[in-house]
Amino acid sequence: MEGKGECSCSFYQRAKPYIAMISLQFGYAGMNIITKVSLNRGMSHYVLVVYRHAFATAVIAPFALILERKIRPKMSLMIFLQIFVLGLLGPVIDQNFYYAGLKFTSPTFSCAMSNMLPAMTFVMAVLCRMEKVDIKKVRCQAKVVGTIVTVAGAMLMTLYKGHVVNLIWSNHINSSTNSNVPEVSGSSDKDWLKGSILLIFATLAWASFFILQNITMRKYTAPLSLTALVCFIGTLQSIAVTFVMEHKTSVWTIGFDMNLLAAAYAGIISSGIAYYVQGLVMEKRGPVFVTAFSPLMMIIVAIMGSFILAEKIYIGGILGAVLIVAGLYSVLWGKYKEYKEKEIEESIISEPVKGINGNSQMMILENNEAINDIEMQKNDENKISTPVVNISVPMQQAPMLAKEAPKI
């Protein structure tokens, strides 16, 4: 029974990063659908970013103040500058560009373009020497080829649309919801190229955010406090940007409607909880692992979008998405092999040797200590007395006899 319990506990510990990241993809998918509806109803994406991070700060800050009051590191100028840049990369640049691209395109297309994130993160990690590339190894070749294929898929989605693909439920959904759902999929009237460029810049800023967050967490080891500070700084920066871009005070008006739901949902789930969970997973598996689950979000959004928004899907988007997913999981396979190799190397270096003490309990010795014990036991069995010489003062001493192992 104990063995089964330990096995299940060990499995749960290994599966926790996967469960956390898969759950986040469902949260991100819901955010994309709700935000798309809110933007189509006229809400400014600049204001949405402000409210989103105001909600995130209000939710995360109390937990950070209470739970991390004893472990919070001191704030230095360098850490403050890194947090300032994190707020600029994530809340301001990434999300404003992403929401603008989402407005010009569709939720499924935006999620598919976001699948470039692992490839961009991998390239930046290599440049920052957080990832090592040995082109002779298959796992490194898989990561490089996967990165190239992912970029090719994103370019295909950007430059080619093709015909509309009618899903099994599309005709029924379109006929029954056209009178109730606002027109959000008139892609022929949208500037898809402009939206694609905005999404690429947003993904680039998001990848930079992951790299810098990983660096900052090495020195500022309070993840909740870091999340609260990033959201707070991002809120202040977003307010400044909104005052510059929006000159009407009416854009700040928000009621108990879809706009409030979009801001609260995105702030609590997609900013507050997501930043914290991603930081914890990143500490164990690195930034490339964290970004490798975005294709799941694209699939969820495609299904939800076709049902809820009567969204049209194009052949170019499908082909590009297939390339992106193939390239992405090539990168993920390479990362998995690298993680297993690292795990094996660490186990070899610190591999314990199991022995049995006089009370028949398991006793773990380090490799070098175990080897010394074995040698002394052999000397004792053969009754060979070997003088031990002290290096500092040469003199003969009585041989050190090891305790004879109990007979089993």
Side-chain angles (χ1 to χ4, degrees), residues 119-130 204-205 207-208 211:
M120 288 186 176
T121 307
F122 171 67
V123 172
M124 289 185 177
V126 171
L127 295 177
C128 296
R129 297 183 179 179
M130 298 171 67
L204 184 63
S208 304
I211 297 297

Side-chain angles (χ1 to χ4, degrees), residues 171-216:
N171 295 329
H172 174 70
I173 294 296
N174 289 335
S175 61
S176 62
T177 59
N178 277 340
S179 58
N180 300 324
V181 179
E183 182 62 30
V184 296
S185 57
S187 54
S188 58
D189 299 327
K190 296 177 181 178
D191 192 349
W192 283 70
L193 180 60
K194 182 178 179 180
S196 300
I197 294 173
L198 290 171
L199 291 171
I200 290 173
F201 277 112
T203 307
L204 184 63
W206 193 228
S208 304
F209 178 90
F210 277 112
I211 297 297
L212 184 58
Q213 184 186 22
N214 192 31
I215 295 173
T216 305

